[in-house]
């Protein structure tokens, strides 16, 4: 229970305010700044407990909260929020001004300032900083800088107090203060929904509760506008929608807001007028977009249509002769669909190759690298994840990069890098992007913005896998538009037919429940979740013994449909961690949000972080960016520095404890998080769960992540439900329509 909740239970929320000096810190949680400390109040020492960010021994604090009697420790003051009192005497003022809070002042200048202004020191700094120039060594510019730092300190202090009171993580204080600026409290009282603009991770519900306590009315226009934006963003994040139909948006908003439809319509009108949302009345319905989403989708469509007007760079090449030459080199004979796919790629500025496992998609990529080598042309290979890129590199003996790494090269504008031309685009004749089902509309825009018009682009993927985590259904929309050249590979080659993983994947894809359980594809039937959980653990431990390499735990992956319940990721990670990386006195651990992180734990990055820095452990090179789905191991945990170091493949990344919500344990992950990855062994529990988590392409995606073995554990009847349920998740997007919107001949004339 939080301090706030405990105070509310006791019926004395924020009824008491106590000032005292911190004498001793008994306990500190470095993750959430929860302290238990001894505070001298007048002539008595009391126990204070609660969230008290960055308090130090010797500081005077003003704590808000209430008294409570602890069954073990007796009377203690439960702190709901705390503020640090500015020093009152001259000696403490000097210490404060010469502290790290004011870099560059130092003890001498601090002493001069306090000697000059005495008890008026802080008032002068805040309200009349020019007076500081009377002090020797302080210029007007320096005086202004001191004042700005002081004002930021006091403003952030007010922000921290506010955040504590409403149970909002205090780590966002500086960001809120930077975005909202001075007069924070007054601005929040007038319109609490500006918090949503400052820290958009916060849910509308949480801000709405704050607003209710502040007496905000239901039909307050900023409230309605905030809800509309929140709904659009939420459905983009959770369902992949680029827009929402007007009717659905209104229905959702009425349910949340409990206001009249007309008031929501007025808010939508204002948001459209302000350029925050975009209303498109086309294609048979009224579509409401976040403006940025509309622009991205429109930009992708326009870039693709421009590519379609360009002629091939390989018109005069003897393609069939090249294909025969490559066949001799590789030692295989391409079937007609593969030959057609290769010719199609070289004859079109943009093309799509789709197909399931074992249909030869990677073989085509390999053939393209050989052809480009013969033609002395440059090929650029990319994939959404490091593992997918590594797989291509291994097969083709040509370096493949993750899409983010490739785009980072463009963004860095490194003219020395051979993959950048003088205009800041990728340099090369063909760009091949594998695992296209993972690419959302935002990543697709970045790809399209990075390629020049004289570069071919080949998009390769399996349209039957789960769609991208982010908004849009790019691969599906491009195929269904029928304006981009598309070859679908359907024949499963003889070598692939030996694998029951491939055979069963194709059975799943067509809805055939008669899977073959032998060799590399096994089903262990169990009748309750506890047994399923136990067997998943046993298989993991048994298979682990078969690997000798140091990264063996990356080769085995438990995949599940759900995060909750006995067979959900939360519980499975706890069970697997306790066996694979149990508590030990010789390694550090920390507890945050009901998750224990230990040195050597397998973890996954769960959001894109474009700014976090990394160092390559092999060559010492540096870069930025760790992306959703990257998996690695905790190398070390430093409780004093509040730092955690993770190694992702060759990247060493340092996290401070405030960033740990970007990581989660990864012994077990959801099928969605596994997209684009490949593992030697996949173990999947199959048992009772909500019907919306039981559908065909989810099971298909899980099975096709495995290279050597699949173990399904649970009920055959549930597995059959997966296969029979061909529920298609509708994603609201207009890329397909936008691609068909403009006459390509007219566009060519304009160019």
């Amino acid at each position: 229970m939080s301090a706030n909740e405990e105070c509310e239970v006791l019926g004395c929320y924020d009824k008491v305010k106590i000032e005292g000096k911190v004498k001793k810190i008994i306990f500190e949680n470095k993750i959430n700044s929860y302290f238990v400390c001894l505070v001298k109040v007048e002539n008595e020492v009391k126990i204070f407990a609660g969230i008290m960010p960055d308090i130090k021994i010797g500081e005077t604090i003003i704590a808000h909260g209430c008294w409570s009697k602890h069954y073990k420790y007796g009377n203690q003051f439960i702190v709901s929020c705390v503020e640090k009192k500015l020093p009152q005497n001259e000696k403490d003022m000097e210490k404060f001004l010469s502290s790290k809070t004011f870099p560059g002042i130092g003890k001498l200048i601090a002493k001069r300032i306090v000697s000059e202004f005495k008890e008026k020191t802080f008032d002068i700094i805040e309200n009349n900083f020019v007076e500081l120039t009377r002090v020797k060594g302080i210029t007007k510019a320096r005086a202004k800088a001191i004042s700005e730092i002081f004002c930021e300190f006091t403003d952030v202090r007010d922000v921290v107090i506010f955040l504590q009171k409403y149970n909002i993580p205090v780590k966002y204080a500086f960001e809120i203060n930077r975005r909202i600026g001075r007069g924070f409290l007054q601005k929040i009282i007038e319109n609490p929904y500006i918090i949503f603009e400052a820290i958009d991770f916060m849910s509308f519900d949480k801000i709405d509760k704050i607003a209710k306590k502040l007496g905000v009315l239901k039909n307050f226009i900023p409230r309605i506008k905030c809800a509309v934006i929140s709904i659009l963003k939420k459905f983009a994040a959770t369902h992949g929608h680029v827009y929402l139909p007007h009717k659905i948006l209104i229905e959702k908003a009425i349910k949340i807001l409990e206001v009249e439809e007309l008031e929501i319509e007025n808010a939508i009108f204002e948001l459209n007028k302000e350029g925050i949302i975009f209303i498109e009345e086309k294609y048979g319905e009224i579509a409401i977009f976040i403006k940025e989403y509309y622009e991205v989708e429109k930009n992708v469509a326009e870039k693709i249509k421009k590519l379609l007007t360009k002629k091939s760079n390989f018109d005069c090449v003897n393609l069939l002769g090249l294909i025969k030459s490559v066949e001799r080199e590789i030692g295989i004979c391409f079937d007609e669909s593969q030959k057609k796919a290769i010719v199609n790629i070289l004859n079109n500025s943009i093309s799509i190759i789709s197909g399931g496992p074992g249909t030869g998609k990677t073989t085509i990529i390999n053939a393209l690298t050989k052809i480009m080598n013969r033609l002395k042309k440059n090929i650029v290979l990319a994939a959404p994840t490091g593992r997918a890129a590594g797989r291509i590199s291994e097969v083709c003996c040509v370096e493949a990069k993750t899409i983010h790494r490739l785009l980072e090269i463009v963004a860095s504008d490194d003219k020395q890098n051979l993959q950048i031309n003088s205009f800041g685009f990728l340099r090369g004749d063909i760009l091949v992007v594998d695992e296209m089902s993972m690419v959302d509309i935002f990543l697709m825009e970045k790809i399209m913005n990075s390629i020049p018009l004289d570069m071919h682009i080949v998009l390769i993927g399996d349209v039957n896998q789960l769609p991208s985590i982010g908004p849009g259904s790019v691969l599906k929309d491009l195929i269904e538009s029928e304006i981009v050249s598309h070859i679908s590979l359907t024949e499963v080659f003889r070598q692939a037919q030996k694998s029951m993983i491939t055979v069963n994947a194709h059975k799943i894809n067509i809805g055939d429940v008669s899977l073959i359980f032998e060799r590399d594809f096994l089903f262990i039937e169990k009748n309750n979740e506890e047994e399923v959980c136990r067997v998943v653990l046993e298989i993991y431990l048994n298979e682990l013994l078969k690997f000798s390499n140091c990264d063996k735990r990356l080769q085995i992956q438990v995949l599940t449909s759900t995060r909750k319940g006995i067979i959900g990721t939360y519980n499975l990670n706890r069970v697997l961690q306790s066996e694979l990386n149990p508590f030990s006195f010789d390694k550090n651990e920390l507890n945050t949000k009901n998750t224990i992180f230990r040195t050597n734990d397998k973890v996954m990055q769960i959001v894109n972080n474009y700014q976090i820095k990394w160092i390559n452990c092999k060559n010492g090179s540096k870069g930025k960016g760790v992306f959703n789905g990257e998996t690695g191991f905790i190398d070390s945990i430093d409780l004093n520095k509040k730092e955690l170091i993770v190694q992702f493949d060759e990247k060493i990344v340092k996290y401070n404890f405030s960033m740990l919500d970007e990581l989660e344990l990864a012994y077990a992950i959801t099928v969605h998080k596994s997209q684009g990855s490949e593992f030697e062994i996949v173990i999947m529990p199959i048992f009772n769960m909500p019907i919306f988590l039981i559908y065909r392409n989810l099971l298909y995606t899980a099975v096709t992540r495995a290279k050597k073995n699949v173990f399904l554990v649970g009920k055959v009847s549930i597995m059959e439900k997966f296969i029979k349920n061909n529920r298609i998740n509708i994603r609201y997007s207009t890329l397909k329509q936008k691609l068909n919107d403009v006459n390509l001949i007219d566009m060519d004339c304009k160019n």
Side-chain angles (χ1 to χ4, degrees):
M1 181 181 291
S2 71
N4 293 23
E5 290 168 336
E6 188 164 349
C7 290
E8 286 175 331
V9 169
L10 292 167
C12 53
Y13 181 81
D14 271 1
K15 291 293 177 67
V16 184
K17 181 171 74 172
I18 298 178
E19 181 178 323
K21 195 168 189 176
V22 180
K23 303 297 291 182
K24 184 179 180 181
I25 294 172
I26 300 171
F27 171 80
E28 175 189 4
N29 184 323
K30 295 178 184 292
I31 301 298
N32 62 7
S33 296
Y34 183 90
F35 283 81
V36 178
C37 57
L38 299 180
V39 178
K40 188 174 182 180
V41 181
E42 295 178 345
N43 294 319
E44 292 185 73
V45 176
K46 305 290 186 182
I47 298 176
F48 281 37
I51 306 296
M52 294 178 272
D54 201 32
I55 64 163
K56 296 179 178 63
I57 294 171
E59 286 184 328
T60 298
I61 61 173
I62 300 172
H64 301 250
C66 61
W67 289 103
S68 172
K69 189 166 185 177
H70 193 277
Y71 75 96
K72 184 176 180 181
Y73 301 112
N75 288 334
Q76 55 179 289
F77 191 71
I78 304 300
V79 178
S80 60
C81 65
V82 65
E83 56 184 293
K84 296 180 183 181
K85 189 174 180 180
L86 288 173
Q88 301 297 303
N89 62 64
E90 292 182 18
K91 187 177 180 180
D92 288 343
M93 285 181 179
E94 287 176 21
K95 284 183 180 178
F96 176 64
L97 290 176
S98 61
S99 69
K100 292 180 181 179
T101 304
F102 298 90
I105 290 183
K107 293 181 180 180
L108 180 60
I109 297 295
K111 187 175 182 67
R112 289 176 184 172
I113 292 171
V114 176
S115 296
E116 179 69 30
F117 300 109
K118 309 294 183 184
E119 74 278 358
K120 294 182 180 179
T121 295
F122 295 147
D123 181 56
I124 292 292
I125 292 174
E126 183 173 13
N127 300 309
N128 195 10
F129 68 84
V130 176
E131 289 292 304
L132 291 174
T133 57
R134 287 160 42 186
V135 175
K136 184 181 177 181
I138 298 183
T139 62
K140 188 175 180 180
R142 194 174 187 186
K144 184 180 180 183
I146 292 170
S147 179
E148 287 174 348
I149 293 171
F150 181 84
C151 291
E152 183 181 29
F153 173 83
T154 53
D155 285 347
V156 169
R157 184 182 60 178
D158 290 340
V159 175
V160 167
I161 293 167
F162 178 87
L163 296 183
Q164 291 176 85
K165 186 172 181 179
Y166 290 102
N167 219 13
I168 302 169
V170 295
K171 66 181 180 180
Y172 300 104
F174 280 96
E175 185 67 13
I176 292 174
N177 185 62
R178 184 182 69 81
R179 296 195 185 187
I180 297 178
R182 300 208 67 185
F184 165 84
L185 291 177
Q186 186 58 38
K187 290 176 183 177
I188 292 294
I189 290 168
E190 291 172 0
N191 176 16
Y193 298 96
I194 61 174
I195 299 173
F196 186 79
E197 299 170 22
I199 42 174
D200 58 9
F201 75 91
M202 273 191 67
S203 68
F204 170 80
D205 291 342
K206 191 157 192 173
I207 298 173
D208 210 34
K209 286 177 182 177
I210 295 171
K212 188 176 181 181
K213 288 181 179 179
L214 292 171
V216 174
L217 299 175
K218 285 184 178 181
N219 62 353
F220 184 48
I221 284 291
R223 175 177 184 257
I224 301 172
K225 289 161 74 172
C226 180
V228 168
I229 297 167
S230 174
I231 291 166
L232 291 172
K233 287 186 174 181
K234 179 181 178 182
F235 277 83
T238 58
H239 295 81
H241 299 317
V242 178
Y243 75 90
L244 277 183
H246 175 267
K247 182 180 178 182
I248 292 176
L249 177 59
I250 294 292
E251 288 173 356
K252 300 289 182 187
I254 288 174
K255 186 176 180 179
I256 290 171
L257 294 165
E258 298 177 343
V259 298
E260 296 297 321
E261 182 176 335
L262 180 60
E263 292 173 304
I264 298 170
E265 294 284 12
N266 289 337
I268 290 173
F269 175 80
E270 283 194 25
L271 287 168
N272 184 49
K273 190 177 178 181
E274 292 164 6
I276 296 171
I277 66 172
F278 186 85
I279 301 174
E280 186 175 49
E281 298 187 47
K282 272 186 176 182
Y283 320 124
E285 66 180 352
I286 301 173
I288 314 290
F289 297 78
I290 297 288
K291 182 71 177 291
E292 180 190 5
Y293 293 22
Y294 172 80
E295 295 291 351
V296 166
E297 196 176 58
K298 180 170 173 279
N299 188 29
V300 168
E302 289 176 352
K303 296 274 184 180
I304 288 172
K305 286 187 284 190
K306 282 183 181 178
L307 270 181
L308 288 168
T309 65
K310 300 300 175 182
K311 293 181 180 179
S312 167
N313 298 332
F314 305 98
D315 283 348
C316 302
V317 175
N318 179 3
L319 298 181
L320 293 179
L322 277 171
I323 290 171
K324 286 182 180 179
S325 174
V326 170
E327 283 179 323
R328 286 193 295 271
E329 180 183 347
I330 298 176
I332 63 172
C333 184
F334 299 125
D335 79 341
E336 287 307 309
S337 64
Q338 287 179 309
K339 290 178 184 177
K340 186 177 178 181
I342 295 168
V343 170
N344 212 50
I345 288 167
L346 298 173
N347 280 339
N348 291 278
S349 57
I350 179 168
S351 55
I352 299 170
I353 308 298
S354 68
T359 56
K361 299 189 297 296
T362 307
T363 302
I364 287 173
I365 298 174
N366 190 24
L368 276 177
T369 63
K370 309 296 184 192
I371 290 171
M372 290 298 104
N373 186 50
R374 281 170 167 70
L375 295 173
K376 298 189 181 333
K377 301 286 187 180
N378 292 322
I379 186 167
V380 181
L381 305 178
T385 67
R387 286 185 166 270
R391 185 175 67 248
I392 301 170
S393 298
E394 185 180 341
V395 172
C396 302
C397 300
V398 174
E399 184 186 13
K401 287 185 170 69
T402 64
I403 297 170
H404 289 99
R405 178 72 184 108
L406 198 65
L407 299 179
E408 178 188 306
I409 292 170
V410 178
S412 70
D413 199 25
D414 182 359
K415 299 298 190 299
Q416 300 304 311
N417 193 300
L418 294 177
Q419 288 189 292
I420 303 299
N421 67 22
S422 59
F423 298 101
F425 293 116
L426 287 172
R427 181 181 175 184
D429 299 285
I430 287 186
L431 169 65
V432 178
V433 182
D434 197 14
E435 296 285 359
M436 264 300 297
S437 63
M438 286 187 68
V439 175
D440 64 31
I441 193 67
F442 286 98
L443 189 53
M444 187 62 180
E445 185 197 34
K446 289 181 172 68
I447 293 169
M448 298 309 299
N449 286 342
S450 74
I451 59 174
L453 287 175
D454 61 352
M455 189 178 195
H456 286 226
I457 179 169
V458 187
L459 309 175
I460 297 181
D462 185 346
V463 76
N464 293 306
Q465 286 185 19
L466 291 172
S468 59
I469 294 173
S473 50
V474 176
L475 182 61
K476 180 172 176 287
D477 286 350
L478 287 173
I479 291 172
E480 291 184 357
S481 74
E482 297 184 350
I483 70 167
V484 177
S485 179
H486 170 224
I487 299 295
S488 176
L489 305 175
T490 56
E491 182 177 343
V492 180
F493 292 97
R494 188 178 301 169
Q495 186 176 357
Q497 289 175 358
K498 295 177 182 177
S499 166
M500 290 302 104
I501 296 173
T502 301
V503 170
N504 286 332
H506 285 276
K507 282 177 172 284
I508 291 167
N509 195 34
I510 62 173
D512 184 351
V513 298
S514 61
L515 304 192
I516 302 170
F517 303 129
E518 60 182 49
R519 296 201 301 271
D520 57 357
F521 198 108
L522 299 176
F523 195 104
I524 299 92
E525 185 150 17
K526 293 296 171 184
N527 293 317
N528 63 70
E529 289 179 305
E530 289 79 7
E531 279 290 289
V532 170
C533 189
R534 181 185 61 78
V535 171
V536 165
L537 176 61
E538 285 178 359
I539 294 170
Y540 199 117
L541 293 173
N542 288 337
E543 294 301 315
L544 201 61
L545 296 174
K546 299 176 183 178
F547 292 91
S548 58
N549 55 322
C550 60
D551 64 344
K552 56 189 176 183
R553 280 178 291 172
L554 289 174
Q555 308 301 328
I556 307 174
Q557 189 60 61
V558 176
L559 301 180
T560 181
S561 304
T562 181
R563 301 177 72 84
K564 299 178 181 179
I566 294 173
I567 60 168
T569 56
Y570 296 130
N571 184 62
L572 286 171
N573 272 314
R574 182 185 61 77
V575 170
L576 290 163
Q577 182 194 46
S578 67
E579 289 290 331
L580 297 164
N581 193 29
F583 169 80
S584 172
F585 287 108
D586 62 0
K587 57 189 171 190
N588 284 335
E589 68 173 49
L590 54 93
N591 197 326
T592 174
K593 291 186 178 178
N594 300 318
T595 297
I596 296 172
F597 288 113
R598 295 191 182 113
T599 304
N600 298 328
D601 267 333
K602 182 180 179 182
V603 292
M604 173 181 280
Q605 176 80 9
I606 58 171
V607 294
N608 290 332
N609 186 330
Y610 296 91
Q611 299 305 316
I612 194 168
K613 296 176 182 178
W614 51 261
I615 298 175
N616 188 296
C617 62
K618 288 191 175 179
N619 59 28
S621 62
K622 298 179 181 180
K624 288 183 180 180
V626 180
F627 304 104
N628 191 350
E630 289 197 55
T631 305
F633 292 95
I634 296 176
D635 185 70
S636 63
I637 299 172
D638 191 322
L639 297 174
N640 293 320
K641 292 182 179 179
K642 298 185 179 182
E643 291 176 348
L644 179 149
I645 294 175
V646 179
Q647 181 169 343
F648 297 99
D649 293 326
E650 297 176 1
K651 292 193 296 191
I652 302 293
V653 185
K654 185 185 293 183
Y655 293 80
N656 62 57
F657 285 1
S658 66
M659 300 167 62
L660 293 184
D661 53 358
E662 296 186 11
L663 293 173
E664 64 183 20
L665 293 176
Y667 301 102
I669 62 175
T670 62
V671 179
H672 283 86
K673 289 291 185 185
S674 74
Q675 287 174 267
S677 294
E678 192 174 62
F679 313 99
E680 296 292 310
I681 295 166
V682 164
I683 308 167
M684 185 178 182
I686 303 274
F687 212 77
N688 294 323
M689 59 188 71
I691 188 64
F692 63 84
L693 294 174
I694 300 177
Y695 53 99
R696 184 183 299 170
N697 67 343
L698 191 142
L699 179 61
Y700 175 81
T701 301
V703 165
T704 54
R705 298 308 88 207
K707 287 171 65 177
K708 288 189 176 179
N709 290 96
V710 169
F711 295 91
L712 303 181
V713 185
K715 285 187 175 181
V716 171
S717 59
I718 301 296
M719 182 200 70
E720 291 177 351
K721 284 184 180 179
F722 269 97
I723 297 170
K724 290 176 181 177
N725 183 11
N726 194 26
R727 175 173 66 88
I728 304 298
N729 291 318
I730 295 173
R731 288 195 165 194
Y732 295 115
S733 68
T734 59
L735 179 60
K736 173 184 170 182
Q737 292 89 333
K738 284 182 170 66
L739 287 168
N740 289 310
D741 230 9
V742 178
N743 190 305
L744 294 178
I745 297 174
D746 291 343
M747 282 194 62
D748 199 23
C749 293
K750 290 176 186 178
N751 290 330

